[in-house]
Each structure stands twice: as C-alpha cells, then as structure tokens.
Amino acid sequence: MTAPTPGPPPASDRPPTLLVLDAEPLPRLGRLTGRARVEHADEATLAERLPSADVLLVWDFASHAVRHAWPGEGPRPRWVHTASAGVDHLMCPELTESDTVVTNARGVFDQPIAEYVAALVLAMAKDLPKTLELQGAREWRHREGQRVAGTRACVVGSGPIGRAIARTLKALDITTALVGRAPRTGIHGPDDLDRLIARADWVVAAAPLTEQTQGMFDARRFGVMQPSARFINVGRGQLVVEDALAEALGKRWIAGAALDVFEHEPLTPDSPLWEVPNLIVSPHMSGDTIGWRDELGRQFVELYERWAAGRPLLNVVDKQRGYVPGR
C-alpha cells in the first residue's frame, strides 16, 4: 500500500535525526551515513529523546516502550517504522490520533511463516513429535500417519501472511478457506468463521491483534471444532484464550495444537502450557529465518530513501484498524 509521505526532511544544514529503539544486534544502517543523524535509545531513555527525532525506528519490536513514552511532552517524530508485522505493541490513543505516519515490515515474514505452518501441519499429521520422543527412548513403535492431501484448512487473517499460508497449504492439496475482516472475492467474512472451522482439519490463526480479534479463539470456538482438528497460532498470542485451549486439549475436544506466540512472552518455565498434552510450543520463531534481521534493515533503509526523496511510503498502517489495508 502507498500513502502520502509524512513530508520530506526539512531543509537544513544537518541531516534528519533518526532515533532507533535498540535491540541486539543493531540494524545495519551504513547506507544512511551522512544522510541521517542516527541516535539510539532504550526503554529508559526513549521518552526524553523522542522530541528531537524526525524518524523513529522501532528495532526492538517486542518492547512496549513507544506506547508508554509517546504521550509525553514536546514534538513527536513524523514517521514511525516498526521492524515487525504487528503494530499492537506501539499503538496508543495519542499516536493513533496524531499525524504521524506508521509503517511496518509487511512482506518480510510472509513466506517463512507459511513454510513454518506447513511444517507444523506435516509434523502433526505424520506424528513427528512422537517419533522423536520414541527415538529418544530407543523404542520401535509402528504407527500410521494422516494423509494431508484432501483435508480442509481455515486460515483466519487475510493479509499477506494469511494469503501466503493459504497458497502453501493449497500446494499440499489442502482445501483452504481464507477468512478476513470483511467478505470479498476469494475471502470469507467473520460471519462464515464458525461454519468453516466446524469443518476444518486445520485451523490457522494469522490475524492482527485488534479489538475485534482479541480472544476470538475461546472455549466456544474450540467447542465448535471437530475432535480431529488441529489448531495453529502464528498471529498474536492474545488471539487465543490460553486456558480455554489447554482445556480443549486436555478434554480432547480437539486433537492437537501448536502455538508460536503467547499472551505473555517469553513463556516462563513454570507456565502450565509446557505440560499441556498434544501442544507444540515454539518461541515466536515462525518468521525468523537466517538473515531476517538484515532483510528488515534493508527494508527500512529503502523506505528511508523514499521518505528522504519525498516519495510516498510503502506499508502504511491504518492506525484505526491496526494493520496495513490490502486487497
């Protein structure tokens, strides 16, 4: 998506100030040498440094520091970019209502996450977790796996990530339905969700976190699913009522689940989720492939060059909706 630029850098003898909310390893911004005055902040210093910044790069995309610091005194950056697909960690009423343009890392994580979902589908269908467990115990136990071709999937979230998941599952000959915020060609609306998940062998959550999607997978929704269904969440942890999922698995309302995102991260060692039967837990890694940070850095530099040239920015977030509108 393109949208009006937040305005080119002001005419000045000094380059614009780019403030980076740091996380290790730091982004590679060498291409901006002489074109941006790069400053750094952490959660403790962000509030005091925001007023002097023209652009804010939220490299620490797990931090909620922006949400807490933004309402303070003084001017605010005209453009905020987050090195993540989701923006829920930084949005607050003051930022939503401001003229500041927000962009995200749309496009970087689509195919890696789709591949991860496909891997989970195959792993659960072929019972690979049990195979590895039995190998560790040196136990030879023949079992039968499930054929995925001809099964049904419902992918909830019709953005680039959801569409990439749908394409990849279809390549496995899985009949796949895509559910979005509103019905349109090739995409179902929310009113069809219960009907679709009631018939699905695979239910995949890939939606952004909004007021409408928070807690959407609750006890009622897990009760709608068939006993042979598996559930996968690669969207946001808050899409799922985790206690309800644990109960659904414990009572065998559904056959299995995989969570890559959680309401509170990192998952603590004493979390009961580690012990839930037939649940695969992974540490928010579905989109992270070798070189992903470099790709995020390149994407931001290219956006900065567009902004510096006065060209429209890409990946502009609709701050009211909480995501980049698409087709």
Side-chain angles (χ1 to χ4, degrees), residues 226-246:
Q226 54 187 342
S228 59
R230 273 91 164 207
F231 173 76
I232 298 171
N233 186 14
V234 290
R236 281 290 180 265
Q238 293 88 343
L239 301 179
V240 178
V241 179
E242 293 174 348
D243 289 345
L245 174 60

Side-chain angles (χ1 to χ4, degrees), residues 181-240:
R181 180 175 179 268
R184 49 201 186 275
T185 303
I187 298 175
H188 297 268
D191 291 345
D192 291 334
L193 179 58
D194 286 352
R195 174 179 62 84
L196 291 170
I197 65 175
R199 304 173 58 195
D201 301 287
W202 314 98
V203 178
V204 183
L209 179 61
T210 66
E211 291 182 2
Q212 292 71 36
T213 63
Q214 184 164 3
M216 68 184 302
F217 289 100
D218 54 11
R220 188 189 69 79
R221 284 257 158 79
F222 291 123
V224 168
M225 298 178 195
Q226 54 187 342
S228 59
R230 273 91 164 207
F231 173 76
I232 298 171
N233 186 14
V234 290
R236 281 290 180 265
Q238 293 88 343
L239 301 179
V240 178

Side-chain angles (χ1 to χ4, degrees), residues 25-32 59 293-294 297-298 300-301:
L26 295 177
R28 298 182 179 180
L29 303 175
R31 276 169 54 183
L32 300 184
W59 191 248
R293 290 184 178 88
D294 289 340
R298 286 193 297 271
F300 172 73
V301 169

Side-chain angles (χ1 to χ4, degrees), residues 95-286:
L95 176 53
T96 300
E97 296 162 9
S98 72
D99 293 332
T100 296
V101 173
V102 176
T103 57
N104 72 354
R106 177 183 173 113
V108 172
F109 301 106
D110 307 354
Q111 192 56 36
I113 292 178
E115 293 170 4
Y116 199 87
V117 169
L120 288 171
V121 166
L122 291 170
M124 288 190 279
K126 306 307 178 183
D127 202 19
L128 292 184
K130 189 65 176 181
T131 295
L132 295 174
E133 177 187 331
L134 293 171
Q135 179 181 347
R138 301 190 178 204
E139 181 177 348
W140 181 283
R141 188 191 307 174
H142 182 268
R143 286 128 38 239
E144 295 178 346
Q146 177 186 3
R147 180 182 295 189
V148 299
T151 59
R152 296 176 180 270
C154 176
V155 179
V156 183
S158 60
I161 293 174
R163 295 198 300 270
I165 292 170
R167 288 194 304 270
T168 304
L169 295 183
K170 288 177 182 177
L172 295 173
D173 202 17
I174 298 174
T175 302
T176 304
L178 196 58
V179 177
R181 180 175 179 268
R184 49 201 186 275
T185 303
I187 298 175
H188 297 268
D191 291 345
D192 291 334
L193 179 58
D194 286 352
R195 174 179 62 84
L196 291 170
I197 65 175
R199 304 173 58 195
D201 301 287
W202 314 98
V203 178
V204 183
L209 179 61
T210 66
E211 291 182 2
Q212 292 71 36
T213 63
Q214 184 164 3
M216 68 184 302
F217 289 100
D218 54 11
R220 188 189 69 79
R221 284 257 158 79
F222 291 123
V224 168
M225 298 178 195
Q226 54 187 342
S228 59
R230 273 91 164 207
F231 173 76
I232 298 171
N233 186 14
V234 290
R236 281 290 180 265
Q238 293 88 343
L239 301 179
V240 178
V241 179
E242 293 174 348
D243 289 345
L245 174 60
E247 181 181 18
L249 290 167
K251 293 183 177 180
R252 299 185 179 180
W253 295 350
I254 61 176
L259 299 180
D260 186 57
V261 288
F262 301 87
E263 183 176 2
H264 301 291
E265 297 182 7
L267 203 62
T268 59
D270 61 349
S271 170
L273 290 174
W274 293 108
E275 303 296 330
V276 173
N278 298 314
L279 175 63
I280 297 174
V281 170
S282 59
H284 204 150
M285 59 179 285
S286 60

Side-chain angles (χ1 to χ4, degrees), residues 20-56:
V20 182
L21 180 59
D22 285 345
E24 294 293 340
L26 295 177
R28 298 182 179 180
L29 303 175
R31 276 169 54 183
L32 300 184
T33 301
R35 304 161 64 186
R37 180 183 177 184
V38 181
E39 298 184 352
H40 297 270
D42 56 20
E43 293 190 357
T45 61
L46 180 63
E48 66 183 78
R49 297 186 180 179
L50 271 179
S52 63
D54 298 299
V55 179
L56 173 64

